[in-house]
Coordinates of all heavy atoms in Angstrom, one line a residue:
M1 N 0.9 -1.2 0.0 CA 0.0 0.0 0.0 C 0.9 1.2 0.0 O 1.9 1.3 0.7 CB -0.9 -0.1 1.2 CG -2.0 1.0 1.1 SD -2.9 1.2 2.7 CE -3.8 -0.2 2.8
R2 N 0.4 2.3 -0.7 CA 1.1 3.5 -0.9 C 1.2 4.1 0.5 O 0.2 4.2 1.2 CB 0.4 4.4 -1.9 CG 0.9 5.8 -2.0 CD -0.1 6.6 -3.0 NE -1.4 6.9 -2.3 CZ -1.5 7.9 -1.7 NH1 -0.6 8.9 -1.5 NH2 -2.7 8.2 -1.1
Q3 N 2.3 4.7 0.9 CA 2.4 5.5 2.2 C 1.9 6.9 2.0 O 2.2 7.5 1.1 CB 3.9 5.5 2.6 CG 4.1 6.2 3.9 CD 4.8 5.3 4.9 OE1 5.4 4.3 4.5 NE2 4.8 5.6 6.1
L4 N 1.1 7.1 3.0 CA 0.6 8.5 3.0 C 1.6 9.5 3.4 O 2.2 9.3 4.4 CB -0.8 8.6 4.0 CG -1.5 9.9 4.0 CD1 -2.2 10.1 2.8 CD2 -2.5 9.9 5.2
E5 N 1.7 10.6 2.8 CA 2.6 11.6 3.1 C 2.0 12.9 3.3 O 1.3 13.4 2.4 CB 3.8 11.8 1.9 CG 5.0 12.2 2.5 CD 6.1 12.1 1.4 OE1 6.7 11.1 1.2 OE2 6.4 13.1 0.6
I6 N 2.2 13.5 4.5 CA 1.5 14.8 4.7 C 2.5 15.9 5.1 O 3.6 15.6 5.8 CB 0.4 14.7 5.8 CG1 1.0 14.1 7.1 CG2 -0.7 13.7 5.3 CD1 0.0 14.1 8.3
A7 N 2.2 17.2 5.0 CA 3.1 18.3 5.3 C 3.0 18.4 6.8 O 2.0 18.0 7.5 CB 2.6 19.5 4.7
Y8 N 4.0 18.9 7.4 CA 4.1 19.0 8.8 C 2.9 19.9 9.4 O 2.4 19.6 10.4 CB 5.4 19.7 9.3 CG 5.5 19.8 10.8 CD1 5.7 18.6 11.6 CD2 5.4 20.9 11.6 CE1 5.7 18.7 12.9 CE2 5.4 21.0 12.9 CZ 5.6 19.9 13.6 OH 5.6 20.0 14.9
A9 N 2.6 21.1 8.7 CA 1.5 21.9 9.1 C 0.2 21.2 9.1 O -0.6 21.3 10.0 CB 1.4 23.1 8.3
E10 N 0.0 20.2 8.1 CA -1.1 19.5 8.1 C -1.3 18.5 9.2 O -2.3 18.3 9.8 CB -1.2 18.7 6.7 CG -2.5 18.1 6.4 CD -2.5 17.4 5.0 OE1 -1.6 17.5 4.3 OE2 -3.5 16.7 4.8
Y11 N -0.1 17.9 9.6 CA 0.0 17.0 10.7 C -0.5 17.6 12.0 O -1.3 17.1 12.9 CB 1.3 16.4 10.9 CG 1.6 15.6 12.2 CD1 0.9 14.5 12.4 CD2 2.4 16.2 13.1 CE1 1.1 13.8 13.6 CE2 2.6 15.6 14.3 CZ 2.0 14.4 14.6 OH 2.1 13.8 15.8
V12 N 0.0 18.9 12.2 CA -0.3 19.7 13.5 C -1.7 19.9 13.5 O -2.4 19.9 14.5 CB 0.5 21.0 13.5 CG1 0.1 21.9 14.5 CG2 2.1 20.7 13.6
E13 N -2.3 20.3 12.3 CA -3.8 20.6 12.3 C -4.5 19.3 12.5 O -5.5 19.4 13.3 CB -4.1 21.2 10.9 CG -5.4 21.8 11.0 CD -5.9 22.4 9.6 OE1 -5.1 22.8 8.8 OE2 -7.1 22.4 9.3
L14 N -4.2 18.2 11.9 CA -4.9 16.9 12.2 C -4.9 16.5 13.7 O -5.9 16.0 14.3 CB -4.3 15.8 11.4 CG -4.6 15.8 9.9 CD1 -3.5 15.1 9.1 CD2 -5.9 15.5 9.5
R15 N -3.8 16.9 14.3 CA -3.6 16.6 15.7 C -4.4 17.5 16.6 O -5.1 16.9 17.5 CB -2.1 16.9 16.1 CG -1.3 15.7 16.8 CD -0.1 16.1 17.3 NE -0.2 16.4 18.7 CZ 0.8 16.1 19.6 NH1 1.9 15.7 19.1 NH2 0.7 16.4 20.8
E16 N -4.4 18.8 16.2 CA -5.2 19.7 16.9 C -6.7 19.5 16.9 O -7.4 19.9 17.7 CB -4.8 21.2 16.6 CG -3.5 21.6 17.3 CD -3.0 23.0 16.9 OE1 -3.8 23.5 15.9 OE2 -2.0 23.5 17.3
T17 N -7.1 19.1 15.7 CA -8.6 18.8 15.4 C -9.0 17.5 15.8 O -10.1 17.0 15.5 CB -8.9 19.2 14.0 OG1 -8.1 18.4 13.2 CG2 -8.7 20.6 13.7
A18 N -8.1 16.7 16.4 CA -8.3 15.2 16.8 C -8.8 14.4 15.7 O -9.8 13.6 15.9 CB -9.2 15.3 18.0
M19 N -8.1 14.4 14.6 CA -8.7 13.6 13.4 C -7.8 12.2 13.7 O -6.8 12.2 14.2 CB -8.1 14.0 12.1 CG -9.1 15.2 11.7 SD -10.8 14.7 11.4 CE -10.7 13.6 9.9
G20 N -8.7 11.0 13.4 CA -8.1 9.8 13.6 C -7.8 9.1 12.3 O -8.4 9.2 11.3
Y21 N -6.6 8.3 12.3 CA -6.1 7.7 11.1 C -6.5 6.3 11.1 O -6.3 5.5 12.2 CB -4.5 7.8 11.1 CG -3.9 7.2 9.9 CD1 -3.8 7.7 8.8 CD2 -3.6 5.8 10.1 CE1 -3.2 7.1 7.7 CE2 -2.9 5.1 9.0 CZ -2.8 5.8 7.8 OH -2.1 5.2 6.8
C22 N -7.2 5.8 10.1 CA -7.4 4.4 10.0 C -6.3 3.6 9.4 O -6.1 3.9 8.2 CB -8.8 4.2 9.2 SG -9.3 2.5 9.1
V23 N -5.8 2.6 10.1 CA -4.7 1.8 9.5 C -5.2 1.0 8.3 O -4.4 0.7 7.4 CB -4.3 0.9 10.6 CG1 -3.3 -0.1 10.3 CG2 -3.7 1.7 11.9
R24 N -6.4 0.6 8.4 CA -7.1 -0.2 7.4 C -7.2 0.5 5.9 O -7.0 0.0 5.0 CB -8.3 -0.9 7.8 CG -8.6 -2.2 7.1 CD -9.6 -2.9 8.0 NE -9.9 -4.2 7.4 CZ -10.9 -4.4 6.5 NH1 -11.5 -3.4 6.1 NH2 -11.1 -5.6 6.0
C25 N -7.9 1.7 6.2 CA -8.2 2.6 5.0 C -6.9 3.4 4.5 O -7.0 3.7 3.4 CB -9.2 3.5 5.4 SG -10.8 2.8 5.8
G26 N -5.9 3.5 5.4 CA -4.8 4.3 5.0 C -5.1 5.8 4.9 O -4.5 6.5 4.0
D27 N -6.0 6.3 5.7 CA -6.4 7.6 5.6 C -7.0 8.1 6.8 O -7.4 7.3 7.6 CB -7.4 7.9 4.4 CG -7.3 9.2 3.8 OD1 -6.6 10.1 4.4 OD2 -8.0 9.5 2.8
F28 N -7.1 9.5 7.0 CA -7.8 10.0 8.2 C -9.2 10.0 7.9 O -9.7 10.6 7.0 CB -7.3 11.5 8.5 CG -5.9 11.5 8.9 CD1 -4.8 11.5 8.2 CD2 -5.7 11.5 10.4 CE1 -3.5 11.5 8.7 CE2 -4.4 11.6 10.9 CZ -3.3 11.6 10.0
T29 N -10.0 9.1 8.7 CA -11.4 9.0 8.4 C -12.4 9.3 9.5 O -13.5 9.4 9.3 CB -11.7 7.5 8.2 OG1 -11.2 6.6 9.3 CG2 -10.9 6.9 6.9
R30 N -11.7 9.7 10.7 CA -12.7 9.9 11.8 C -12.3 11.1 12.7 O -11.1 11.3 12.9 CB -12.7 8.6 12.7 CG -13.7 8.6 13.8 CD -13.6 7.5 14.8 NE -14.0 8.0 16.1 CZ -14.9 7.3 16.7 NH1 -15.3 6.1 16.4 NH2 -15.4 7.8 17.8
E31 N -13.4 11.8 13.2 CA -13.2 12.8 14.1 C -13.2 12.4 15.6 O -13.5 11.3 15.9 CB -14.2 14.0 13.9 CG -14.2 14.5 12.5 CD -15.4 15.3 12.3 OE1 -16.4 15.4 13.1 OE2 -15.3 16.1 11.3
S32 N -12.8 13.3 16.5 CA -12.8 13.2 17.9 C -12.0 11.9 18.3 O -12.5 11.2 19.2 CB -14.3 12.9 18.4 OG -15.0 14.1 18.0
V33 N -10.9 11.9 17.9 CA -9.8 10.7 18.3 C -8.6 11.5 19.0 O -7.9 12.3 18.2 CB -9.4 9.9 17.1 CG1 -8.4 8.9 17.6 CG2 -10.7 9.3 16.4
E34 N -8.4 11.3 20.1 CA -7.1 11.9 20.8 C -6.0 11.5 20.1 O -5.9 10.3 19.6 CB -7.1 11.5 22.3 CG -8.3 12.1 23.1 CD -8.3 13.5 23.2 OE1 -7.3 14.2 23.3 OE2 -9.3 14.2 23.0
P35 N -5.0 12.4 20.1 CA -3.7 11.9 19.4 C -3.0 10.6 19.9 O -2.3 10.0 19.0 CB -2.7 13.1 19.7 CG -3.6 14.3 19.9 CD -4.9 13.6 20.6
D36 N -3.2 10.3 21.2 CA -2.5 9.1 21.7 C -3.6 7.9 21.8 O -3.2 6.9 22.6 CB -1.8 9.5 22.9 CG -2.9 9.8 24.1 OD1 -4.0 10.2 23.8 OD2 -2.5 9.9 25.2
A37 N -4.7 8.0 21.1 CA -5.7 6.9 21.3 C -5.4 5.9 20.2 O -4.8 6.0 19.2 CB -7.1 7.6 21.1
T38 N -6.0 4.6 20.6 CA -6.0 3.5 19.6 C -7.2 2.8 19.6 O -8.1 2.9 20.6 CB -4.8 2.5 20.0 OG1 -5.0 2.0 21.2 CG2 -3.5 3.1 19.8
G39 N -7.6 2.0 18.7 CA -8.7 1.2 18.7 C -10.1 1.7 18.5 O -11.2 1.1 18.9
Y40 N -10.1 2.8 17.9 CA -11.5 3.5 17.6 C -12.1 2.9 16.3 O -11.3 2.5 15.5 CB -11.3 5.1 17.4 CG -11.3 5.8 18.7 CD1 -10.4 5.5 19.8 CD2 -12.2 6.9 18.8 CE1 -10.3 6.3 20.9 CE2 -12.1 7.6 20.0 CZ -11.2 7.3 21.1 OH -11.2 8.0 22.2
E41 N -13.4 3.0 16.4 CA -14.1 2.4 15.1 C -14.0 3.4 13.9 O -14.3 4.5 14.1 CB -15.5 2.0 15.5 CG -16.1 1.2 14.3 CD -17.6 0.9 14.7 OE1 -18.1 1.0 15.8 OE2 -18.4 0.5 13.7
C42 N -13.8 2.8 12.8 CA -13.7 3.6 11.6 C -15.2 3.6 10.9 O -15.7 2.6 10.8 CB -12.8 3.0 10.5 SG -12.7 3.8 9.0
P43 N -15.6 5.0 10.6 CA -16.9 5.0 10.0 C -16.9 4.6 8.6 O -18.0 4.2 8.0 CB -17.1 6.5 10.1 CG -15.8 7.1 10.2 CD -14.9 6.1 10.9
T44 N -15.8 4.4 8.0 CA -15.8 3.9 6.6 C -15.6 2.4 6.4 O -16.5 1.8 5.8 CB -14.4 4.5 5.9 OG1 -14.5 6.0 5.9 CG2 -14.4 4.1 4.4
C45 N -14.7 1.7 7.2 CA -14.6 0.3 6.9 C -15.2 -0.5 8.2 O -15.2 -1.7 8.2 CB -13.1 -0.1 6.7 SG -12.1 0.1 8.4
E46 N -15.6 0.2 9.2 CA -16.3 -0.3 10.4 C -15.4 -1.4 11.2 O -15.9 -2.2 11.8 CB -17.6 -1.0 10.0 CG -18.6 0.1 9.5 CD -20.0 -0.5 9.0 OE1 -20.0 -1.7 8.8 OE2 -20.9 0.3 9.0
H47 N -14.1 -1.1 11.1 CA -13.1 -1.9 12.0 C -12.6 -1.0 13.0 O -12.5 0.2 12.9 CB -12.1 -2.5 11.1 CG -12.5 -3.7 10.3 ND1 -13.2 -3.5 9.1 CD2 -12.2 -5.0 10.4 CE1 -13.4 -4.7 8.6 NE2 -12.9 -5.7 9.3
D48 N -12.1 -1.6 14.2 CA -11.6 -0.8 15.2 C -10.2 -0.6 14.9 O -9.2 -1.0 15.7 CB -11.8 -1.6 16.6 CG -13.2 -1.7 17.0 OD1 -14.1 -0.8 16.5 OD2 -13.6 -2.7 17.7
T49 N -9.9 0.1 13.9 CA -8.4 0.2 13.4 C -8.1 1.7 13.3 O -7.1 2.0 12.5 CB -8.4 -0.4 12.1 OG1 -9.4 -0.1 11.2 CG2 -8.2 -1.9 12.1
V50 N -8.8 2.6 14.0 CA -8.5 4.0 14.0 C -7.6 4.4 15.2 O -7.8 4.0 16.2 CB -9.7 4.9 14.0 CG1 -9.3 6.3 14.1 CG2 -10.5 4.7 12.7
V51 N -6.4 5.0 14.8 CA -5.5 5.6 15.9 C -5.4 7.0 15.8 O -5.6 7.6 14.7 CB -4.1 4.9 15.7 CG1 -4.2 3.4 15.9 CG2 -3.4 5.2 14.4
G52 N -4.9 7.7 17.0 CA -4.8 9.1 17.0 C -3.5 9.4 16.1 O -2.7 8.6 15.6
A53 N -3.5 10.8 15.6 CA -2.4 11.2 14.8 C -1.0 10.9 15.3 O -0.1 10.5 14.5 CB -2.5 12.7 14.6
E54 N -0.8 11.1 16.6 CA 0.6 10.9 17.2 C 1.0 9.4 17.1 O 2.1 9.0 16.7 CB 0.5 11.3 18.7 CG 1.8 11.6 19.2 CD 1.6 12.1 20.8 OE1 1.0 13.3 20.8 OE2 2.0 11.5 21.6
I55 N 0.0 8.5 17.4 CA 0.3 7.1 17.2 C 0.6 6.8 15.9 O 1.5 5.9 15.7 CB -1.0 6.3 17.8 CG1 -1.3 6.6 19.3 CG2 -0.7 4.8 17.7 CD1 -0.2 6.3 20.3
G56 N -0.2 7.2 14.9 CA 0.0 6.9 13.5 C 1.4 7.3 13.0 O 2.1 6.6 12.3
L57 N 1.9 8.4 13.5 CA 3.1 8.9 13.2 C 4.4 7.9 13.7 O 5.3 7.5 13.1 CB 3.4 10.4 13.6 CG 4.8 11.0 13.3 CD1 5.0 11.0 11.8 CD2 4.9 12.2 14.0
I58 N 4.1 7.6 15.1 CA 5.0 6.7 15.8 C 5.1 5.3 15.1 O 6.1 4.8 14.9 CB 4.8 6.7 17.3 CG1 4.8 7.9 18.0 CG2 5.5 5.6 17.9 CD1 4.3 7.9 19.3
R59 N 3.9 4.8 14.7 CA 3.8 3.6 14.0 C 4.4 3.5 12.6 O 4.7 2.6 12.0 CB 2.4 3.2 14.0 CG 1.8 2.6 15.3 CD 0.3 2.4 15.0 NE 0.0 1.9 13.6 CZ -0.4 0.6 13.4 NH1 -0.5 -0.2 14.4 NH2 -0.6 0.2 12.3
G60 N 4.5 4.8 12.0 CA 5.1 4.9 10.7 C 4.0 4.7 9.7 O 4.3 4.3 8.5
D61 N 2.7 4.9 10.0 CA 1.6 4.8 9.1 C 1.6 5.8 8.0 O 1.1 5.5 6.9 CB 0.3 4.8 9.9 CG 0.1 3.5 10.8 OD1 0.5 2.5 10.3 OD2 -0.4 3.6 11.9
F62 N 2.1 6.9 8.4 CA 2.3 8.0 7.5 C 3.6 8.8 7.7 O 4.2 8.6 8.7 CB 1.1 8.9 7.4 CG 0.8 9.4 8.8 CD1 1.4 10.6 9.2 CD2 -0.1 8.8 9.6 CE1 1.1 11.2 10.4 CE2 -0.4 9.4 10.8 CZ 0.2 10.6 11.3
E63 N 4.0 9.4 6.7 CA 5.2 10.3 6.8 C 5.0 11.7 6.7 O 4.1 12.2 6.1 CB 6.3 9.8 5.8 CG 6.9 8.5 5.9 CD 7.8 8.2 4.8 OE1 7.9 8.9 3.9 OE2 8.6 7.3 5.1
I64 N 5.9 12.5 7.5 CA 5.8 13.9 7.3 C 6.8 14.3 6.3 O 7.9 14.0 6.2 CB 6.4 14.6 8.8 CG1 5.5 14.1 9.9 CG2 6.4 16.1 8.6 CD1 4.2 14.6 10.0
S65 N 6.1 15.1 5.3 CA 6.9 15.6 4.3 C 7.6 16.8 4.6 O 7.0 17.7 5.2 CB 6.0 15.9 3.1 OG 6.7 16.6 2.0
E66 N 8.9 17.0 4.3 CA 9.6 18.1 4.5 C 9.3 19.2 3.4 O 9.6 20.5 3.7 CB 11.1 17.9 4.5 CG 11.6 16.8 5.6 CD 11.2 17.3 6.9 OE1 11.4 18.5 7.3 OE2 10.8 16.5 7.8
E67 N 8.8 18.9 2.3 CA 8.4 19.8 1.3 C 7.1 20.5 1.6 O 6.2 20.2 2.1 CB 8.1 19.1 0.0 CG 9.1 17.9 -0.4 CD 10.4 18.5 -0.9 OE1 10.3 19.4 -1.8 OE2 11.4 17.9 -0.7
F68 N 7.2 21.9 1.2 CA 6.0 22.7 1.6 C 5.5 23.3 0.2 O 6.3 23.6 -0.6 CB 6.3 23.8 2.6 CG 6.3 23.2 4.0 CD1 7.6 22.8 4.6 CD2 5.2 22.9 4.7 CE1 7.7 22.3 5.8 CE2 5.3 22.3 5.9 CZ 6.4 22.1 6.6
Ligands
ZN1 ZN1 -11.1 2.3 8.0

């Protein structure tokens, strides 16, 4: 699967707005997910595979792009 790459500013915003990243969908699919949360249900694929932005970054699910 293609690795999602986001700009640092975008990552900060996703963190601040508590967007959750779905490991299965490979995208940010859900709101109201704390940055250090795991196991939230994804509204798209309906699996408990949504993690917070911080966890996603630590896990290497997506990369911060240095390009702006
Ligand atoms: Zn999903």
Side-chain angles (χ1 to χ4, degrees):
M1 193 192 286
R2 172 184 77 88
Q3 181 122 13
L4 184 68
E5 206 170 276
I6 58 176
Y8 182 72
E10 196 180 345
Y11 167 70
V12 170
E13 195 183 327
L14 287 163
R15 235 189 102 144
E16 282 176 358
T17 56
M19 285 298 290
Y21 177 87
C22 177
V23 174
R24 205 159 183 276
C25 296
D27 206 355
F28 286 87
T29 57
R30 186 193 154 127
E31 298 176 341
S32 304
V33 180
E34 292 299 314
D36 62 347
T38 58
Y40 275 55
E41 189 181 349
C42 173
T44 304
C45 69
E46 297 180 341
H47 283 75
D48 296 332
T49 45
V50 173
V51 299
E54 203 173 292
I55 301 294
L57 183 64
I58 292 168
R59 283 173 38 105
D61 290 321
F62 53 87
E63 284 183 345
I64 300 291
S65 169
E66 298 301 323
E67 316 276 328
F68 286 95

